[in-house]
Amino acid sequence: MIVNRTVRLVTTALIVTALTPISASRGQQAKLTSPTCTPSSVLGTPPLGKLATARGVLVGSAVNDSALATDPAYACVLGTEFNMVEPENSMKFAATEPAPGVFDFTRADVIVAFAKLHHQSVRCHNLVWNLFNPNWLTSATFTKQQALAALSNHIAKVVGHFRSKCSQWDVVNEPIGPSGTGLAPSPWLKWIGPSYINLAFTYAHRADPNARLYLNDYDFNGNGVRTRSLVSLAVSLRRAGVPIDGVGLQLHSIQSPARSAFLSQQMATAAAARLSVAMTEVDYAIALPVNTTALVAEANYFSDLLSTCLAATNCRTFNIWGFEDQYSWIPGFFTGYGAGTPLDAHLNPKPAWQALRVALSTK
Ligand code: XIL
């Protein structure tokens, strides 16, 4: 059955709340969808997020901020089906510090306010990455002192702005080098050296001592090399007294065709160092056109990962990188691929949606 992309909005229009933007830089007010909407009943009851809460886990999705602003059906499902949200792009360096020392939280503030309205936890992404940096940063030629000042100011301002609103932060994203070992080339590595990682965690902890701080990466080809490097880097940071709380496993199928037994082993290694593990960006790229076999494989991928997380003592966060196919990043990045999320482009459930519900309901 194809359901068109409408939802029953209990109120007829988007409401503009009286939120005062914390960042006054653009002087706009945040537009939020009314929390009182009912997504199509084909998604099942109770909502996925309620099943997650009952299991003591956070199940969330990356949020496309322009979809949130323009598509009430998208906002309705996001607000009712998840107990966690994560800005897909609007907290990245280029978005939050577009010019040196000039901060803009407008886009991210809308998502954080939306989450508050819907009683959702916010996973914040990310502070330091070798991608998505503004031109002023990538073209800079900093001395070590200047780089330290820029890094500490960025983290203090961004984490400080969202203090007590982010339950988790990806402090350093994709730190591991292209071959799966060593550190990825990054401006910060060049200017500061490997200690940029320790320092980023220290600055983030100082700005919000209650946020749980993560090192987040993918596992190219799923051969385990990057994941091993990631976990061992996190363990060594932890042993050195760096305020790190966990490891984020992105788990995009196209980059990380995950193997549950291997992941369980790595999660146990992390647990032994008192580190939690979050599955942070789960999606499943299907070679188009979609067929039934691919949809079943997709359902198994989501289900295996969620079950693997639930079975571990230290995995209580499971995040998908977009919850519906219309706004997913996959087609734009991987030519010929798409359909990587549990709901189709009309917000109809695919087998993966049901698989997530079953995994959450199975003990
Ligand atoms: C992606 C977004 O989904 C895209 O919209 C954007 O154009 C590029 O970045 N790993 C990450 C995410 O940590 O930030 C990336 O998100 C996907 C890969």
Side-chain angles (χ1 to χ4, degrees):
M1 178 180 61
I2 298 290
V3 180
N4 71 17
R5 234 190 135 77
T6 54
V7 286
R8 286 188 290 123
L9 290 174
V10 172
T11 54
T12 49
L14 292 177
I15 55 164
V16 179
T17 69
L19 287 179
T20 307
I22 307 166
S23 153
S25 55
R26 287 194 182 163
Q28 290 175 344
Q29 286 196 321
K31 278 188 189 146
L32 297 176
T33 302
S34 162
T36 47
C37 75
T38 312
S40 162
S41 60
V42 296
L43 298 186
T45 38
L48 191 74
K50 288 261 182 333
L51 293 176
T53 303
R55 275 304 281 273
V57 291
L58 294 168
V59 173
S61 174
V63 181
N64 176 313
D65 56 343
S66 58
L68 183 63
T70 57
D71 185 342
Y74 176 97
C76 179
V77 173
L78 180 71
T80 49
E81 292 292 333
F82 299 95
N83 60 358
M84 181 175 61
V85 293
E86 173 168 346
E88 182 169 356
N89 290 311
S90 49
M91 288 184 176
K92 290 174 181 170
F93 207 119
T96 53
E97 193 178 349
V102 176
F103 290 86
D104 182 356
F105 301 115
T106 320
R107 292 166 56 203
D109 280 344
V110 173
I111 298 174
V112 170
F114 180 90
K116 185 170 184 212
L117 198 62
H118 295 85
H119 311 290
Q120 294 163 315
S121 180
V122 186
R123 187 162 204 289
C124 294
H125 173 83
N126 62 60
L127 296 169
V128 181
W129 191 15
N130 55 1
L131 297 175
F132 255 85
N133 290 313
N135 287 340
W136 69 263
L137 185 69
T138 48
S139 60
T141 47
F142 283 152
T143 62
K144 184 171 182 180
Q145 283 317 311
Q146 289 168 326
L148 287 169
L151 184 68
S152 66
N153 189 48
H154 180 78
I155 295 177
K157 292 282 178 1
V158 176
V159 178
H161 178 83
F162 296 109
R163 187 184 168 102
S164 81
K165 294 177 178 143
C166 296
S167 61
Q168 304 176 15
W169 262 111
D170 283 331
V171 176
V172 183
N173 197 38
E174 302 184 357
I176 304 299
S179 66
T181 55
L183 295 179
S186 106
W188 305 110
L189 181 64
K190 188 174 67 190
W191 296 320
I192 300 173
S195 67
Y196 87 89
I197 297 181
N198 313 17
L199 291 168
F201 277 90
T202 304
Y203 300 147
H205 182 65
R206 199 177 290 156
D208 187 351
N210 293 321
R212 294 177 62 79
L213 306 181
Y214 285 76
L215 199 60
N216 190 49
D217 214 325
Y218 64 92
D219 185 355
F220 191 63
N221 288 335
N223 61 9
V225 176
R226 274 181 89 94
T227 300
R228 266 182 229 282
S229 302
L230 181 71
V231 172
S232 78
L233 175 58
V235 169
S236 64
L237 292 171
R238 177 90 184 185
R239 296 219 168 106
V242 174
I244 178 172
D245 296 289
V247 179
L249 304 176
Q250 293 184 8
L251 297 165
H252 300 285
S253 71
I254 208 157
Q255 296 171 319
S256 318
R259 290 169 292 139
S260 298
F262 170 73
L263 292 177
S264 299
Q265 200 185 70
Q266 293 302 310
M267 290 197 279
T269 305
R274 290 181 296 112
L275 287 166
S276 65
V277 172
M279 297 193 172
T280 55
E281 304 184 14
V282 181
D283 58 16
Y284 186 86
I286 290 180
L288 300 173
V290 175
N291 60 38
T292 311
T293 312
L295 290 174
V296 171
E298 176 174 64
N300 289 338
Y301 185 79
F302 279 93
S303 164
D304 287 351
L305 288 178
L306 179 52
S307 304
T308 304
C309 174
L310 292 170
T313 53
N314 56 337
C315 184
R316 287 294 167 268
T317 297
F318 182 87
N319 205 25
I320 57 182
W321 207 241
F323 59 91
E324 54 75 74
D325 290 339
Q326 183 171 327
Y327 302 108
S328 163
W329 74 304
I330 293 172
F333 273 77
F334 305 104
T335 308
Y337 288 85
T341 78
L343 301 180
D344 72 12
H346 302 283
L347 293 169
N348 284 310
K350 293 152 66 183
W353 184 258
Q354 188 55 20
L356 291 175
R357 296 183 58 85
V358 169
L360 285 172
S361 312
T362 310
K363 292 225 175 163

